[in-house]
Amino acid sequence: MSDAAPADVPRPVPLAFAALLIGSSMLALGPWFVRLSGVGPVAAGFWRLALALPFLFVIALVARQPAHWPGRALGGLIALGGFFFAADLAAWHVGIHMTKLANATLFGNISSFAFAAWGLWLARRLPSRSQGAALSLAAIGAALLMGSSAELSARNLRGDALSLLAGLLYAGYLIAVQRARGALAPLPLLFLSSAFGAAMLLPLSLALGERIVPADWTFVIILALSSQVIGQGLLVYAIGGLSPLIVGLTLLTQPAISALVGWVAYGERLSALDWAGAVAIGVALVLVRLPDRGLRNAPSQPS
């Protein structure tokens, strides 16, 4: 019998769920700061990663998790994760400017379900009743939150497609991070993936002829600190101690937080459907965190 822990039983990580909630909240502010950054969409992704590097380096030293090269195999996995993350940022940031923000948020969050589905496939098990109910409620909640403002039309098609692609790429990043997290501490992992991603985004931004240097550095610095240092930092920390199902559903809090940002910053009125969607996602998080009697094994297929 193997000594390896089952894929759906992560190692204990102190305060992992609280860290994930806070990290998801910080990540939800990202689109707002991208719009305020004053640079091109891909350039905003580059500065988000590049400006975070010195902060991550110092924090890693203080936390006694110094950034280092972990070897060719693990380094290759982290580089792959950096590629997925860079491609996600490029696709989503461009998509934000080509479709409605609600559409970009809705399609970008396909990553939550893709990552949860990957975890269930990896475990070769079906969700329990409470987990199935949580997934259903989360899907309904996300649809309600975005449904009142999302708009499917030919005009938005390219932006919608880019946002959907970004969501799938982000799921690839989450998978790579979770696999690397088992062998590497969170801070060197985040530092290396950010460095790889920044190195990929800068030449792309230059090739697209974007504005690279902002007139005001305030918002790109805030974007780097909130989304990358705090948001991704807490996500990478927490992902080592939570199942993909819990991580995926928790990331669905971002549409609710984005709606609240629109309410506070732009006076966008929240409808009854918006509130119902937020409540549905909250109930889904409660359900998925309840003590479970275990996942049901998937029915065996005849050979």
Side-chain angles (χ1 to χ4, degrees):
M1 188 173 185
S2 172
D3 293 331
D8 57 323
V9 185
R11 298 174 304 167
V13 173
L15 300 175
F17 187 64
L20 181 60
L21 277 176
I22 297 171
S24 181
S25 300
M26 291 293 101
L27 291 171
L29 301 176
W32 183 30
F33 294 131
V34 167
R35 289 193 167 189
L36 297 173
S37 65
V39 296
V42 178
F46 164 72
W47 287 121
R48 165 179 167 169
L49 301 182
L51 291 175
L53 291 176
F55 294 97
L56 292 172
F57 187 82
V58 172
I59 294 170
L61 285 178
V62 173
R64 297 183 180 180
Q65 297 179 18
H68 62 281
W69 182 247
R72 185 169 60 181
L74 188 54
L77 178 60
I78 296 171
L80 179 63
F83 165 77
F84 278 124
F85 192 36
D88 155 61
L89 290 178
W92 197 48
H93 286 185
V94 172
I96 286 172
H97 292 276
M98 298 176 66
T99 187
K100 297 187 68 175
L101 186 58
N103 289 35
T105 304
L106 179 62
F107 288 113
N109 273 279
I110 193 68
S111 59
S112 299
F113 296 102
F115 188 55
W118 175 81
L120 293 172
W121 174 83
L122 190 67
R124 297 293 196 277
R125 295 175 179 179
L126 297 176
S128 65
R129 289 182 180 178
S130 64
Q131 290 170 332
L135 281 167
S136 300
L137 274 174
I140 292 169
L144 289 175
L145 271 168
M146 296 294 107
S148 59
S149 53
E151 177 185 320
L152 297 179
S153 69
R155 181 184 59 186
N156 297 328
L157 181 60
R158 292 175 63 191
D160 292 344
L162 282 171
S163 299
L164 180 61
L165 174 62
L168 295 175
L169 290 167
Y170 192 62
Y173 164 73
L174 292 174
I175 292 170
V177 166
Q178 191 192 48
R179 293 178 67 88
R181 184 66 176 83
L184 190 63
L187 288 170
L189 171 56
L190 182 58
F191 178 86
L192 289 172
S193 63
S194 299
F196 280 121
M200 297 171 189
L201 286 173
L202 180 58
L204 177 58
S205 180
L206 290 170
L208 292 173
E210 292 185 345
R211 177 173 181 170
I212 304 294
V213 181
D216 183 349
W217 288 88
T218 302
F219 291 109
V220 289
I221 293 174
I222 293 174
L223 175 65
L225 292 176
S226 61
S227 292
Q228 198 63 18
V229 176
I230 301 175
Q232 282 294 323
L234 291 175
L235 170 61
V236 171
Y237 168 79
I239 204 171
L242 297 171
S243 71
L245 180 62
I246 292 176
V247 172
L249 292 187
T250 304
L251 290 178
L252 280 176
T253 58
Q254 293 181 41
I257 296 167
S258 295
L260 290 175
V261 169
W263 180 32
V264 173
Y266 300 109
E268 297 176 356
R269 184 171 174 269
L270 296 180
S271 67
L273 289 179
D274 292 325
W275 287 110
V279 170
I281 291 174
V283 173
L285 287 178
V286 172
L287 282 176
V288 82
R289 292 289 290 165
L290 288 176
D292 197 33
R293 294 177 182 174
L295 298 173
R296 296 177 287 123
N297 289 331
S300 58
Q301 301 294 327
S303 57

